[in-house]
């Protein structure tokens, strides 16, 4: 399907088409399409743009990834379909290892996703021969590599389903999630929840990694100053402001809502 570039929601429609194609190719599971719909609904509420609190979380995440001894990025079907190139670029910039880790795991899907990542420039992608299990998880999501998520000190887990972030935090890891739903168990449990659309989040984090790489003082400052509770409070305040704009005022367009205007009465 050809999507006209002039369409006001071009990027969103392209993402949808990519997912549908990846589902046809057996990379994304049908459940992944449902998950994407949920993400889209939240993205609408946030104005289809990165909020200031999300940027703060992305900067803190970049600092933690740079300071890590064994940083790992976990990739599932949706992530491979939507942001394989961006993930590979981020992994190179840090540098971090990539592990394919699937909830609906099958050998054939892991192979396909490894191939997509390799085509995007990745080397030594983990996932095909797991040699460890994340304790406390019964699903196949538990399968992992000692050199990958299992042995990592900082893990980036985009679009997760909740149980693993909790266990990874319990294992003492710094868990950075990307999930547009701020109420999900993943966002609630992660050390640094990034509430932003996947592609934007990965690109922003990469930009911050490049910016911070030569500034260890700033990395240390960011790691100390980030407070999850404050960040989430700011995020909900932003959401509240957007919803209030919708309730009270004139049209809310993409991005930031217009400030409500005073309506003049005829006698004014
Ligand atoms: O490829 P698999 O087998 O590992 O399965 C992947 C899915 C996504 C199906 C699996 O991890 C899953 O079931 O996830 P959930 O529980 O549906 O959670 C996914 C979360 O990601 C939801 O809270 C969505 O709101 C959010 N989400 C979906 N698309 C995006 C997103 N967040 C940010 N950017 C997106 N593009």
């Amino acid at each position: 399907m050809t999507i006209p570039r002039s369409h006001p929601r071009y990027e969103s429609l392209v993402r949808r088409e990519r997912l549908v194609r990846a589902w046809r190719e057996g990379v994304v599971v049908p459940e992944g399409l449902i998950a994407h719909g949920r993400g889209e609904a939240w993205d609408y509420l946030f104005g289809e743009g990165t909020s200031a609190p999300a940027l703060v979380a992305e900067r803190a995440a970049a600092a933690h990834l740079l300071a890590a001894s064994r940083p790992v990025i976990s990739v599932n079907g949706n992530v491979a379909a939507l942001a394989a190139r961006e993930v590979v670029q981020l992994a190179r910039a840090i540098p971090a290892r990539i592990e394919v880790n699937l909830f609906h795991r099958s050998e054939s899907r892991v192979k396909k996703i490894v191939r997509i990542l390799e085509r995007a420039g990745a080397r030594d992608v983990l996932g095909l021969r797991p040699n460890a299990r994340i304790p406390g998880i019964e699903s196949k999501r538990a399968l992992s590599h000692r050199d990958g998520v299992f042995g990592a000190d900082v893990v980036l887990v985009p679009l997760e389903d909740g149980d693993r972030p909790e266990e990874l935090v319990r294992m003492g890891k710094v868990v950075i999630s990307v999930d547009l739903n701020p109420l999900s168990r993943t966002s609630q449990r992660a050390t640094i929840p990034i509430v932003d659309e996947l592609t934007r989040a990965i690109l922003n984090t990469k930009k911050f990694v490049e910016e911070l790489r030569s500034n260890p003082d700033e990395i240390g400052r960011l790691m100390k100053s980030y407070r999850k509770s404050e960040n989430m409070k700011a995020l909900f305040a932003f959401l509240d402001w957007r919803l209030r704009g919708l309730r009270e005022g004139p049209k809310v367009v993409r991005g930031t809502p217009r400030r409500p205007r005073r309506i003049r009465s005829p006698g004014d």
Side-chain angles (χ1 to χ4, degrees), residues 29 31-32 35-36 38-39 42 76-78 82 101-104 109 141 159-161 178-181 184 196-198:
V29 282
E31 292 83 346
H36 186 75
R38 273 211 311 282
W42 280 104
N76 63 22
N78 284 43
L82 291 175
N101 185 282
L102 304 179
F103 185 67
H104 307 275
R109 280 189 74 219
R141 177 84 91 204
L159 278 54
E160 279 270 333
D161 52 12
V178 179
D179 188 335
L180 272 159
N181 179 358
S184 71
D196 196 3
E197 192 281 322
L198 171 75

Side-chain angles (χ1 to χ4, degrees), residues 103-255:
F103 185 67
H104 307 275
R105 186 185 169 96
S106 72
E107 285 299 294
S108 124
R109 280 189 74 219
V110 178
K111 272 188 196 150
K112 283 179 189 171
I113 293 168
V114 169
R115 222 172 299 136
I116 289 173
L117 291 163
E118 285 174 348
R119 274 207 300 270
R123 295 280 163 272
D124 303 323
V125 178
L126 300 164
L128 271 168
R129 279 173 289 281
N131 53 12
R133 277 193 81 93
I134 309 290
I137 302 179
E138 289 188 11
S139 70
K140 288 184 180 173
R141 177 84 91 204
L143 298 173
S144 182
H145 282 252
R146 286 198 199 98
D147 290 343
V149 170
F150 185 84
D153 54 348
V154 178
V155 271
L156 173 60
V157 288
L159 278 54
E160 279 270 333
D161 52 12
D163 56 345
R164 196 168 63 138
E166 196 167 359
E167 294 304 330
L168 294 175
V169 168
R170 208 168 281 156
M171 287 172 84
K173 302 176 195 303
V174 170
V175 176
I176 302 163
S177 63
V178 179
D179 188 335
L180 272 159
N181 179 358
L183 306 176
S184 71
R185 264 177 67 210
T186 299
S187 296
Q188 299 290 322
R189 298 287 184 262
T191 324
I192 304 178
I194 297 176
V195 181
D196 196 3
E197 192 281 322
L198 171 75
T199 320
R200 291 197 305 264
I202 301 289
L203 284 174
N204 289 339
T205 307
K206 180 189 156 245
K207 192 188 76 185
F208 288 131
V209 162
E210 282 164 353
E211 229 175 82
L212 291 168
R213 207 192 335 248
S214 52
N215 195 343
D217 289 349
E218 182 63 2
I219 291 176
R221 194 195 65 75
L222 284 167
M223 287 168 71
K224 266 199 216 125
S225 64
Y226 171 82
R227 295 276 176 281
K228 174 180 168 178
S229 57
E230 294 301 312
N231 188 248
M232 291 304 267
K233 234 188 262 171
L235 187 90
F236 283 116
F238 173 76
L239 192 57
D240 187 42
W241 177 67
R242 273 195 58 82
L243 294 177
R244 220 166 335 126
L246 279 166
R247 252 195 329 263
E248 289 169 8
K251 270 191 299 178
V252 172
V253 289
R254 279 185 66 189

